[in-house]
Amino acid sequence: LMIEVLILAVALSMDAFAVSIGLGAKHNSRIMHLSLMSAGYFGLFQGVMPLIGYLGGKGVLGWIESYASWIAFLLLLLIGIKMIYESFSEGIEEDITQITHRVMLILAIATSIDAMAAGFSLTILDVNPLIACLIIGSITFFFSWLGVLIGSKSGTWLESKAEFLGGITLILIGVKILLE
């Protein structure tokens, strides 16, 4: 089951990875500072939001337990479809002229809302939610840090591919949950 958490973590981190690539490609000054800032914000929010989703899911699990697999599947399906759709549109980093803590906070919240919904699926997996969220946050930290560095060197060509792959992976995790 830890492999499922790792796969979920990589898939969830693709949103932050894609945004980080865009940030690195469009803001080429102080790359190390930007990569650590991006990693810190995205890693923290991607780690905390699934825990909120998990706790919310635990709170209502008694009422919806017989439908929990379907709900997790539908949430992951919707998030996956949204990520695939977004992979075909221009990134939000296009309009950002200056990277401030406020901008990073907004980006971190925007990219981690999906992780909160996906956190519900942790109620179905037999894993320690704190460890799962630590893994999700750590993997997102790494991918966000790496994304800025990749973006600064290669531009945005990888941005949409990462988001597309993350969306497909989330849908497959949802299907697996449904079939168990």
Side-chain angles (χ1 to χ4, degrees):
L1 281 172
M2 249 341 156
I3 192 78
E4 286 178 342
V5 172
L6 286 171
I7 293 168
L8 179 67
V10 170
L12 287 174
S13 72
M14 289 299 108
D15 249 358
F17 182 56
V19 171
S20 295
I21 290 171
L23 290 173
K26 293 166 185 92
H27 302 278
N28 264 331
S29 64
R30 297 179 57 202
I31 288 301
M32 271 319 204
H33 177 263
L34 180 59
S35 63
L36 287 173
M37 192 175 181
S38 180
Y41 273 97
F42 293 144
L44 177 68
F45 276 82
Q46 287 289 95
V48 170
M49 291 296 225
L51 188 59
I52 294 169
Y54 169 82
L55 294 173
K58 274 297 189 197
V60 297
L61 195 59
W63 300 335
I64 59 167
E65 196 155 6
S66 56
Y67 305 106
S69 294
W70 277 98
I71 293 169
F73 164 73
L74 287 173
L75 285 171
L76 291 171
L77 177 69
L78 291 173
I79 296 166
I81 290 170
K82 178 180 161 281
M83 284 178 74
I84 291 167
Y85 173 76
E86 288 174 352
S87 75
F88 292 105
S89 59
E90 189 57 52
I92 53 177
E93 336 58 60
E94 195 65 44
D95 303 327
I96 298 170
T97 53
Q98 191 175 4
I99 304 297
T100 63
H101 288 286
R102 183 168 174 244
V103 166
M104 287 306 297
L105 180 66
I106 291 167
L107 288 174
I109 291 169
T111 57
S112 63
I113 294 292
D114 295 351
M116 184 168 64
F120 178 83
S121 67
L122 295 177
T123 62
I124 295 166
L125 302 175
D126 187 27
V127 295
N128 179 323
L130 292 176
I131 292 173
C133 291
L134 186 65
I135 291 169
I136 292 168
S138 299
I139 287 179
T140 301
F141 181 95
F142 172 74
F143 272 107
S144 299
W145 174 78
L146 188 64
V148 170
L149 299 180
I150 289 172
S152 72
K153 299 280 187 248
S154 66
T156 59
W157 68 272
L158 189 60
E159 193 174 350
S160 61
K161 292 165 187 60
E163 220 166 359
F164 184 85
L165 185 63
I168 294 290
T169 305
L170 288 176
I171 291 170
L172 292 175
I173 292 169
V175 168
K176 184 180 183 305
I177 286 173
L178 195 59
L179 296 176
E180 285 181 339

